Amino acid sequence: MTTVFSADLALAGAFRKPQQMLASQSYDGHLSIHDDKMAEGLGFRAGPIEGPTHFSQFAPLLDHIFGKAFFETGCISAHYQNMVVEGEEVRAFAALPQRSAHSTRIWAEKRDGTPVLTGTASLGPERGDTEISRRIAALRPPEQLVILRDLKVGQKGTVREKVAMGFDQNMGASYPFSLNEKLAKITEPSPWYAPDGTSPWGRAVIPFEMISVLLEYTAGKAGFHTHGPAIGLFAGQEIRLIKGPLFVGHPYELEREIVALSESKRTESNWVRTRAYDGETGDLVAEMILNSATLKNSYAKYDEDAKALAK
């Protein structure tokens, strides 16, 4: 990927066309918002491409700014602003930080200037406030949760989940594809992702966007009961490496905790922190905070349940 300096002292990547790989995604016995018909029924133009897909476009920019250390202790923290559908072009930007700074601003736009996401990228423990940490700090308590009414802040997953990601491993109903299938379509290919051991760490690295897949692979085991069926989408996400990179085929163990609950006129949101531990050493190696927003109008009994809860 070729990067260029833009007029506002930022690095900019080339326009890319990310591909839809979740059209057949399913959960709770139904297709997801990534299915075109399901999305259209909820008032969207088509099934959107999953938000963390765009993280790959930032990897070359942040490698230029922070070096390979970004793949060891880097953090991408993003608020998703507008959906992208297959065929649309997206460009990633990263502001050039001041010398010795550990954090910078990132954003992505469509070719017509429509914002796709806004956020921060940072390195190491001295990263300061992130996009997601600022948004959580600004949340107001929800007035009345209906779909998420059984969840509590501080609630933890019921089990420690064991996961790994092989090259040819199908990642389940939520992610019905393999890493090899993703690598064939990824917007920013890299020899570091290949199985021939040419990365600086001598092993194949899991791309930033696929860390999201690995950490969500067994989310259904956490026991976070919600009312449905209902349709959700990713509204914001932070992936933080602590002792990275994460490697293909390596065992990891996951712990989950609800760190915030919120609502808007259209959604109810569950903010979950997932901690990833090395399955061999026990070291904490990565964390993810995911804001999953569930659409109120996708739950058929929403109004009925809301009235009953108000009594």
Side-chain angles (χ1 to χ4, degrees):
M1 174 180 177
T2 301
T3 57
V4 297
F5 289 96
S6 67
D8 56 354
L9 297 179
L11 290 177
F15 280 104
R16 302 297 193 201
K17 290 184 178 181
Q19 296 188 44
Q20 172 66 277
M21 297 189 70
L22 294 182
S24 60
Q25 181 188 60
S26 65
Y27 57 89
D28 291 340
H30 59 77
L31 292 173
S32 74
I33 196 171
H34 302 286
D35 173 74
D36 284 344
K37 289 185 178 179
M38 184 69 76
E40 290 166 5
L42 293 167
F44 299 102
R45 180 157 58 93
I49 290 165
E50 189 184 35
T53 302
H54 307 301
F55 284 9
S56 285
Q57 290 186 247
F58 291 102
L61 307 181
L62 300 173
D63 177 54
H64 183 93
I65 292 172
F66 297 118
K68 77 178 183 69
F70 187 78
F71 297 86
E72 298 172 334
T73 62
C75 174
I76 293 179
S77 186
H79 170 66
Y80 300 126
Q81 295 171 292
N82 287 289
M83 295 179 176
V84 175
V85 301
E86 192 163 52
E88 291 186 309
E89 293 181 293
V90 177
R91 192 177 197 183
F93 297 84
L96 289 170
Q98 295 180 349
R99 184 174 297 179
S100 75
H102 297 277
S103 180
T104 193
R105 187 170 66 92
I106 61 171
W107 67 100
E109 299 175 354
K110 300 182 186 181
R111 185 171 282 277
D112 65 1
T114 300
V116 172
L117 65 82
T118 185
T120 57
S122 49
L123 184 70
E126 299 177 8
R127 63 189 78 236
D129 290 339
T130 65
E131 182 73 26
I132 292 300
S133 67
R134 288 197 295 263
R135 289 182 177 272
I136 290 177
L139 291 176
R140 294 178 297 177
E143 293 184 6
Q144 176 181 269
L145 294 176
V146 176
I147 300 169
L148 307 182
R149 62 183 181 265
D150 295 336
L151 303 182
K152 304 294 181 184
V153 174
Q155 184 176 344
K156 296 183 178 180
T158 55
V159 296
R160 194 178 235 221
E161 307 156 29
K162 296 183 178 181
V163 298
M165 178 182 289
F167 278 107
D168 293 313
Q169 176 184 349
N170 185 288
M171 299 305 290
S174 293
Y175 296 96
F177 56 86
S178 68
L179 175 58
N180 269 338
E181 290 172 319
K182 166 58 73 172
L183 294 178
K185 297 182 177 182
I186 198 167
T187 55
E188 309 297 332
S190 170
W192 293 2
Y193 307 148
D196 58 7
T198 58
S199 82
W201 304 274
R203 303 172 63 184
V205 172
I206 296 176
F208 240 87
E209 68 169 281
M210 289 296 284
I211 294 175
S212 173
V213 175
L214 177 69
L215 270 55
E216 281 296 287
Y217 178 39
T218 53
K221 295 182 179 181
F224 297 152
H225 175 69
T226 63
H227 293 262
I231 301 294
L233 69 161
F234 290 2
Q237 192 167 17
E238 176 174 302
I239 294 176
R240 176 194 302 253
L241 292 171
I242 298 166
K243 294 184 72 172
L246 301 192
F247 297 111
V248 178
H250 193 82
Y252 297 98
E253 297 185 4
L254 311 179
E255 293 181 345
R256 303 184 193 275
E257 180 182 1
I258 298 173
V259 295
L261 295 166
S262 61
E263 71 170 322
S264 67
K265 290 182 179 180
R266 297 187 63 190
T267 66
E268 294 185 3
S269 285
N270 182 16
W271 304 68
V272 175
R273 176 186 287 116
T274 301
R275 290 187 169 98
Y277 298 86
D278 189 299
E280 295 179 352
T281 67
D283 293 338
L284 178 64
V285 294
E287 291 185 351
M288 179 176 73
I289 297 178
L290 178 62
N291 172 10
S292 297
T294 306
L295 297 164
K296 294 178 179 180
N297 67 349
S298 72
Y299 177 42
K301 295 178 60 181
Y302 187 88
D303 290 338
E304 176 185 342
D305 285 6
K307 289 179 182 177
L309 291 168
K311 293 180 180 179

